[in-house]
Structure formats: structure tokens, C-alpha cells
Amino acid sequence: MRISTLLLGLSLALPAMAWAESPTEITAIQNAARRGNQGAELLLALIYSEGRGVPQNPVKARQWMQRAAREGQPYAQLMLGDWYAGGLTGLPKDAREAARWWQKAAEQGQPQAAYHLGQAYLTGEGVKTDPKRAEYWLRRAAEAGNAPAQTLLGKMYHEGYGVPRDVEKSHDWLARAAAQGEGEAIRFLDFFVQMGEDALQGYRQSGPELEARARQGDSEAQYQLALRYESGAWGVLQDNRKALYWFHQAAANGNRMAMRALADVYANGLLGEAKDRRQADYWRNRAASREPPRDIIRNPAAAGRSSALP
């Protein structure tokens, strides 16, 4: 049953962390690969690349990775792009080929490939420098939870490189990355004078410490706690309901980053919520307003999530 589980996981786009090493398992994967199973093709390429249970064989690794990538396996396309970028497994170092394969994977929603492609458009490696396309692909990766993309996007907004300078958007993306423990984002946040040391300490606090501050009404702690529940980082389990609850609490207490997060949630149908243009517009306007919030827009779904502690 282990082989079928591995192949199913791979067919859904991500490589299994457990490697097959026994002769029986490898034979089964080889047979499935020869029959055209994309997950098996990818796993076999990785097995030959790492030499797990078989002699390391870069030639066979390349052949199976290229076959899986050509047949549309997004993680294989990502890996092939990485191999071309680094000149690995005997492939020539070719930034253009790397970007081409990352593009194919990114178009299928592979976040790491979208991040690499965004970087390529920023630096002009393999493609013509294009900050607007860089922002597009980095945003795709960032919205999928890729912390390095969130950090880079935050820095773009902070510097106004290729996008209008927007300190709030910069803070928002950096905070999302910091909530996942991204060290560079945490360090970069030190430059945001308006946050102060108390806010920065929140990123270093344990889950219970941060939750205690949040329950005492600290809007910055509420916002940071929502980010942790959104991503399942830093000692808490991912929980859409709790993330939504704390975003609402922080927004009700005047945290504009939480308001922007709620606008994003309702505009894109995130955290298990249906798209709701009315609420998205409401929170977007609240974030842009300089007046403190006097009420929270209500509908049965929102009220049920924000009226009581989870």
C-alpha cells in the first residue's frame, strides 16, 4: 500500500518525503514509470539523482525528470528548472531553460516555481527584466504561502521597485513571512520605526504568550496570532476559523493590516470563506480610512465566527 500512497501523493504535485529503498519498491516504481505514471517518473528521477537504493545515475535522473516534466508534472518542471539554473545532474547551466520550466510549473500553481520566476523577472536571469511580471508571480507565490516570496514582495513595496511604494502593503507581506519564521522578514521589520520593539517582540514570543496578549485586547498581537493560525507556524496548528476570528478582533480594534487581510480573504475566498465583494469592499475602505472603526459589517457567517472566542 505504501507504493500506491507514494504515487498518489506525487500525482497531486508534491514529492513524498519517504523514499523507496528496497528492491521490491524500486521495481514497482520503475514498472509504474514505464507505464506512464507521472508520479512514478518523478520519484524515479529523484531516486536516481540521490542514489537511494540504487547507484546514483545522473543520466537516468535527467531522463526521467525530463519525461515527467514534458508530460506536465509541475514538481518535475520545478526541479528541471532548478537543475538548469544550477547546472546540476550533468545539464548545462541555462537560465533561459530554467525560466521556461519554472513558467510551466508556475502556470499550474506551483508556488516555489512562481517564486523563482518572480526572482528571474527581477534580476533578468533567463528573461527580460520586468518588475510588473515579477510582482505578478511573486504575488502568486506569496498568496500560496511562500514565505521567501512574501519577504521579497514586501521589500518591493517598501522600496517602490516596480510597484507604487506602499508601506502598509510592505508591512503586511513582511508580517506574513515573519509569522512563518522567515528570519529575513523579521530582520527587515526592524526598519519599520512605527511598529516599535513591543510589536517586534510578538514575532519572537511563543504561541501562548502571544495569545495571552491577544486576549487582553492587544490588536498587534491579535493580528500576529491570526497570521500564525493562517499559516500554521510558530507553535500553533493551522486553523482557518481561528485565523478569521483573530483577524476580525484585530480589525475591530483598529489594526489596519488586519482590515487589509480581511479584504483579501473576502475578495479571494480564503480561509474557507466564500467570496464576498461587499465585505471585501467594506474592509478595504476601512483600511484606507483614517477614522477608527465604529462597527463590524455583519452577515450570518461573519457573525458566527467573530462573536465568541474560538
Side-chain angles (χ1 to χ4, degrees), residues 2-3 6-7 19-34 40-41 43-48 51-55 60 64:
R2 183 183 174 200
I3 294 298
L6 285 171
L7 298 184
W19 290 84
E21 295 182 357
S22 75
T24 300
E25 290 172 332
I26 291 173
T27 297
I29 292 169
Q30 289 171 330
N31 290 338
R34 292 187 186 105
E41 292 167 354
L43 185 54
L44 197 55
L46 295 171
I47 287 171
Y48 280 122
R52 299 298 295 265
V54 297
K60 288 186 177 181
W64 286 110

Short mmCIF file of all heavy atoms in Angstrom, two decimals, residues 2-3 6-7 19-34 40-41 43-48 51-55 60 64:
data_model
loop_
_atom_site.label_atom_id
_atom_site.label_comp_id
_atom_site.label_asym_id
_atom_site.label_seq_id
_atom_site.Cartn_x
_atom_site.Cartn_y
_atom_site.Cartn_z
N ARG A 2 2.12 1.10 0.49
CA ARG A 2 2.99 2.27 0.56
C ARG A 2 3.28 2.82 -0.82
O ARG A 2 3.32 4.04 -1.03
CB ARG A 2 4.29 1.89 1.26
CG ARG A 2 5.24 3.07 1.45
CD ARG A 2 6.53 2.60 2.07
NE ARG A 2 7.49 3.69 2.12
CZ ARG A 2 8.78 3.53 2.24
NH1 ARG A 2 9.29 2.32 2.32
NH2 ARG A 2 9.60 4.56 2.28
N ILE A 3 3.50 1.94 -1.82
CA ILE A 3 3.81 2.40 -3.17
C ILE A 3 2.66 3.21 -3.74
O ILE A 3 2.84 4.28 -4.29
CB ILE A 3 4.11 1.20 -4.09
CG1 ILE A 3 5.39 0.51 -3.64
CG2 ILE A 3 4.24 1.65 -5.54
CD1 ILE A 3 6.62 1.37 -3.71
N LEU A 6 2.60 6.64 -2.16
CA LEU A 6 3.64 7.50 -2.70
C LEU A 6 3.25 8.04 -4.06
O LEU A 6 3.38 9.24 -4.34
CB LEU A 6 4.95 6.71 -2.83
CG LEU A 6 5.74 6.42 -1.55
CD1 LEU A 6 6.86 5.45 -1.85
CD2 LEU A 6 6.27 7.70 -0.94
N LEU A 7 2.75 7.18 -4.93
CA LEU A 7 2.42 7.59 -6.28
C LEU A 7 1.25 8.55 -6.28
O LEU A 7 1.20 9.50 -7.06
CB LEU A 7 2.12 6.37 -7.15
CG LEU A 7 3.29 5.39 -7.31
CD1 LEU A 7 2.90 4.27 -8.26
CD2 LEU A 7 4.54 6.10 -7.82
N TRP A 19 11.38 7.89 1.12
CA TRP A 19 11.97 7.36 -0.11
C TRP A 19 11.84 5.85 -0.13
O TRP A 19 11.99 5.18 0.87
CB TRP A 19 13.45 7.73 -0.17
CG TRP A 19 13.68 9.17 -0.39
CD1 TRP A 19 13.70 10.15 0.55
CD2 TRP A 19 13.95 9.82 -1.63
NE1 TRP A 19 13.95 11.36 -0.02
CE2 TRP A 19 14.11 11.19 -1.35
CE3 TRP A 19 14.05 9.36 -2.95
CZ2 TRP A 19 14.38 12.12 -2.36
CZ3 TRP A 19 14.34 10.29 -3.92
CH2 TRP A 19 14.49 11.65 -3.64
N ALA A 20 11.60 5.33 -1.33
CA ALA A 20 11.61 3.88 -1.51
C ALA A 20 13.06 3.44 -1.65
O ALA A 20 13.82 4.05 -2.39
CB ALA A 20 10.82 3.51 -2.75
N GLU A 21 13.42 2.39 -0.95
CA GLU A 21 14.81 1.94 -1.00
C GLU A 21 14.94 0.44 -1.25
O GLU A 21 15.98 -0.01 -1.70
CB GLU A 21 15.53 2.30 0.30
CG GLU A 21 15.66 3.80 0.53
CD GLU A 21 16.42 4.11 1.81
OE1 GLU A 21 16.78 3.17 2.52
OE2 GLU A 21 16.64 5.30 2.09
N SER A 22 13.89 -0.33 -0.95
CA SER A 22 14.03 -1.77 -1.13
C SER A 22 13.91 -2.12 -2.61
O SER A 22 13.28 -1.40 -3.37
CB SER A 22 12.93 -2.50 -0.35
OG SER A 22 11.69 -2.38 -1.01
N PRO A 23 14.54 -3.22 -3.04
CA PRO A 23 14.46 -3.63 -4.45
C PRO A 23 13.02 -3.80 -4.92
O PRO A 23 12.68 -3.45 -6.06
CB PRO A 23 15.23 -4.95 -4.46
CG PRO A 23 16.18 -4.83 -3.33
CD PRO A 23 15.45 -4.07 -2.27
N THR A 24 12.16 -4.34 -4.05
CA THR A 24 10.76 -4.55 -4.43
C THR A 24 10.07 -3.22 -4.72
O THR A 24 9.34 -3.07 -5.71
CB THR A 24 10.01 -5.30 -3.32
OG1 THR A 24 10.64 -6.55 -3.10
CG2 THR A 24 8.55 -5.52 -3.71
N GLU A 25 10.30 -2.24 -3.85
CA GLU A 25 9.67 -0.93 -4.02
C GLU A 25 10.18 -0.25 -5.28
O GLU A 25 9.41 0.33 -6.06
CB GLU A 25 9.95 -0.06 -2.80
CG GLU A 25 9.22 -0.52 -1.55
CD GLU A 25 9.66 0.24 -0.31
OE1 GLU A 25 10.82 0.70 -0.27
OE2 GLU A 25 8.85 0.37 0.61
N ILE A 26 11.48 -0.30 -5.49
CA ILE A 26 12.06 0.35 -6.67
C ILE A 26 11.56 -0.30 -7.95
O ILE A 26 11.23 0.38 -8.93
CB ILE A 26 13.59 0.34 -6.59
CG1 ILE A 26 14.05 1.27 -5.46
CG2 ILE A 26 14.22 0.77 -7.92
CD1 ILE A 26 15.52 1.21 -5.17
N THR A 27 11.45 -1.62 -7.96
CA THR A 27 10.93 -2.32 -9.13
C THR A 27 9.50 -1.89 -9.43
O THR A 27 9.12 -1.66 -10.59
CB THR A 27 10.99 -3.84 -8.92
OG1 THR A 27 12.36 -4.24 -8.77
CG2 THR A 27 10.39 -4.58 -10.12
N ALA A 28 8.69 -1.76 -8.37
CA ALA A 28 7.30 -1.34 -8.55
C ALA A 28 7.23 0.08 -9.14
O ALA A 28 6.42 0.37 -10.01
CB ALA A 28 6.55 -1.39 -7.22
N ILE A 29 8.10 0.96 -8.64
CA ILE A 29 8.12 2.34 -9.15
C ILE A 29 8.61 2.36 -10.60
O ILE A 29 8.05 3.08 -11.44
CB ILE A 29 9.01 3.22 -8.26
CG1 ILE A 29 8.35 3.38 -6.88
CG2 ILE A 29 9.24 4.59 -8.88
CD1 ILE A 29 9.26 4.00 -5.84
N GLN A 30 9.61 1.58 -10.92
CA GLN A 30 10.09 1.51 -12.29
C GLN A 30 9.00 1.03 -13.24
O GLN A 30 8.81 1.59 -14.32
CB GLN A 30 11.31 0.57 -12.38
CG GLN A 30 12.57 1.14 -11.74
CD GLN A 30 13.68 0.11 -11.65
OE1 GLN A 30 13.42 -1.09 -11.53
NE2 GLN A 30 14.92 0.58 -11.69
N ASN A 31 8.26 0.01 -12.82
CA ASN A 31 7.19 -0.51 -13.67
C ASN A 31 6.10 0.54 -13.88
O ASN A 31 5.59 0.71 -15.00
CB ASN A 31 6.58 -1.77 -13.04
CG ASN A 31 7.53 -2.96 -13.08
OD1 ASN A 31 8.45 -3.00 -13.90
ND2 ASN A 31 7.32 -3.93 -12.20
N ALA A 32 5.76 1.25 -12.81
CA ALA A 32 4.73 2.29 -12.93
C ALA A 32 5.22 3.43 -13.82
O ALA A 32 4.45 3.99 -14.61
CB ALA A 32 4.35 2.82 -11.55
N ALA A 33 6.50 3.77 -13.70
CA ALA A 33 7.05 4.84 -14.53
C ALA A 33 7.02 4.44 -16.00
O ALA A 33 6.68 5.26 -16.87
CB ALA A 33 8.47 5.16 -14.09
N ARG A 34 7.36 3.22 -16.29
CA ARG A 34 7.36 2.77 -17.69
C ARG A 34 5.95 2.76 -18.27
O ARG A 34 5.77 2.87 -19.49
CB ARG A 34 7.97 1.37 -17.79
CG ARG A 34 9.48 1.34 -17.46
CD ARG A 34 10.09 -0.02 -17.73
NE ARG A 34 11.48 -0.07 -17.28
CZ ARG A 34 11.91 -0.69 -16.19
NH1 ARG A 34 11.04 -1.33 -15.41
NH2 ARG A 34 13.19 -0.68 -15.87
N ALA A 40 5.38 8.35 -10.57
CA ALA A 40 6.45 7.36 -10.53
C ALA A 40 7.66 7.86 -11.31
O ALA A 40 8.82 7.64 -10.91
CB ALA A 40 5.96 6.03 -11.09
N GLU A 41 7.42 8.52 -12.44
CA GLU A 41 8.53 9.07 -13.23
C GLU A 41 9.33 10.08 -12.39
O GLU A 41 10.57 10.05 -12.38
CB GLU A 41 7.98 9.75 -14.48
CG GLU A 41 7.37 8.78 -15.48
CD GLU A 41 6.55 9.49 -16.56
OE1 GLU A 41 6.37 10.72 -16.46
OE2 GLU A 41 6.09 8.80 -17.48
N LEU A 43 9.41 10.32 -9.04
CA LEU A 43 10.07 9.65 -7.92
C LEU A 43 11.29 8.88 -8.39
O LEU A 43 12.34 8.90 -7.72
CB LEU A 43 9.07 8.71 -7.23
CG LEU A 43 9.58 8.02 -5.96
CD1 LEU A 43 10.09 9.05 -4.95
CD2 LEU A 43 8.48 7.18 -5.34
N LEU A 44 11.20 8.26 -9.55
CA LEU A 44 12.35 7.51 -10.07
C LEU A 44 13.50 8.46 -10.40
O LEU A 44 14.67 8.15 -10.14
CB LEU A 44 11.93 6.73 -11.31
CG LEU A 44 12.86 5.60 -11.77
CD1 LEU A 44 13.12 4.59 -10.66
CD2 LEU A 44 12.25 4.90 -12.99
N ALA A 45 13.18 9.63 -10.93
CA ALA A 45 14.21 10.63 -11.21
C ALA A 45 14.92 11.05 -9.93
O ALA A 45 16.15 11.17 -9.89
CB ALA A 45 13.59 11.85 -11.90
N LEU A 46 14.15 11.27 -8.88
CA LEU A 46 14.74 11.67 -7.60
C LEU A 46 15.57 10.54 -6.99
O LEU A 46 16.62 10.79 -6.39
CB LEU A 46 13.63 12.09 -6.64
CG LEU A 46 12.84 13.35 -7.05
CD1 LEU A 46 11.65 13.55 -6.14
CD2 LEU A 46 13.74 14.57 -7.04
N ILE A 47 15.09 9.32 -7.13
CA ILE A 47 15.83 8.15 -6.61
C ILE A 47 17.19 8.04 -7.29
O ILE A 47 18.24 7.86 -6.64
CB ILE A 47 15.00 6.86 -6.80
CG1 ILE A 47 13.84 6.84 -5.81
CG2 ILE A 47 15.88 5.62 -6.63
CD1 ILE A 47 12.84 5.72 -6.06
N TYR A 48 17.20 8.16 -8.64
CA TYR A 48 18.48 8.08 -9.36
C TYR A 48 19.36 9.30 -9.07
O TYR A 48 20.59 9.19 -9.03
CB TYR A 48 18.23 7.96 -10.87
CG TYR A 48 17.88 6.56 -11.31
CD1 TYR A 48 16.69 6.30 -11.98
CD2 TYR A 48 18.75 5.49 -11.07
CE1 TYR A 48 16.36 5.02 -12.40
CE2 TYR A 48 18.43 4.19 -11.48
CZ TYR A 48 17.24 3.96 -12.14
OH TYR A 48 16.91 2.69 -12.54
N GLY A 51 20.60 8.58 -5.50
CA GLY A 51 21.22 7.27 -5.28
C GLY A 51 20.63 6.55 -4.09
O GLY A 51 21.37 5.95 -3.29
N ARG A 52 19.31 6.62 -3.94
CA ARG A 52 18.64 5.97 -2.81
C ARG A 52 18.17 4.57 -3.21
O ARG A 52 17.22 4.41 -3.96
CB ARG A 52 17.44 6.80 -2.36
CG ARG A 52 17.79 8.20 -1.87
CD ARG A 52 18.70 8.17 -0.65
NE ARG A 52 18.03 7.58 0.49
CZ ARG A 52 17.40 8.30 1.41
NH1 ARG A 52 17.39 9.62 1.34
NH2 ARG A 52 16.82 7.71 2.43
N GLY A 53 18.89 3.57 -2.75
CA GLY A 53 18.53 2.19 -3.07
C GLY A 53 19.05 1.71 -4.40
O GLY A 53 18.93 0.53 -4.74
N VAL A 54 19.65 2.60 -5.18
CA VAL A 54 20.27 2.26 -6.47
C VAL A 54 21.53 3.09 -6.60
O VAL A 54 21.67 4.10 -5.92
CB VAL A 54 19.32 2.57 -7.66
CG1 VAL A 54 18.06 1.73 -7.61
CG2 VAL A 54 18.98 4.05 -7.70
N PRO A 55 22.45 2.70 -7.47
CA PRO A 55 23.62 3.55 -7.71
C PRO A 55 23.17 4.90 -8.27
O PRO A 55 22.26 4.97 -9.08
CB PRO A 55 24.44 2.76 -8.73
CG PRO A 55 23.99 1.34 -8.56
CD PRO A 55 22.54 1.42 -8.20
N LYS A 60 20.09 8.78 -15.96
CA LYS A 60 18.72 8.28 -15.78
C LYS A 60 17.87 9.29 -15.02
O LYS A 60 16.68 9.43 -15.28
CB LYS A 60 18.75 6.93 -15.06
CG LYS A 60 19.27 5.78 -15.92
CD LYS A 60 19.13 4.44 -15.21
CE LYS A 60 19.58 3.31 -16.11
NZ LYS A 60 19.44 1.98 -15.45
N TRP A 64 14.32 10.67 -16.66
CA TRP A 64 13.01 10.52 -16.03
C TRP A 64 12.43 11.87 -15.61
O TRP A 64 11.21 12.09 -15.70
CB TRP A 64 13.08 9.55 -14.85
CG TRP A 64 13.21 8.13 -15.29
CD1 TRP A 64 14.29 7.32 -15.17
CD2 TRP A 64 12.19 7.35 -15.96
NE1 TRP A 64 14.03 6.08 -15.70
CE2 TRP A 64 12.75 6.07 -16.20
CE3 TRP A 64 10.90 7.61 -16.37
CZ2 TRP A 64 12.04 5.05 -16.83
CZ3 TRP A 64 10.18 6.60 -17.02
CH2 TRP A 64 10.75 5.34 -17.24
#
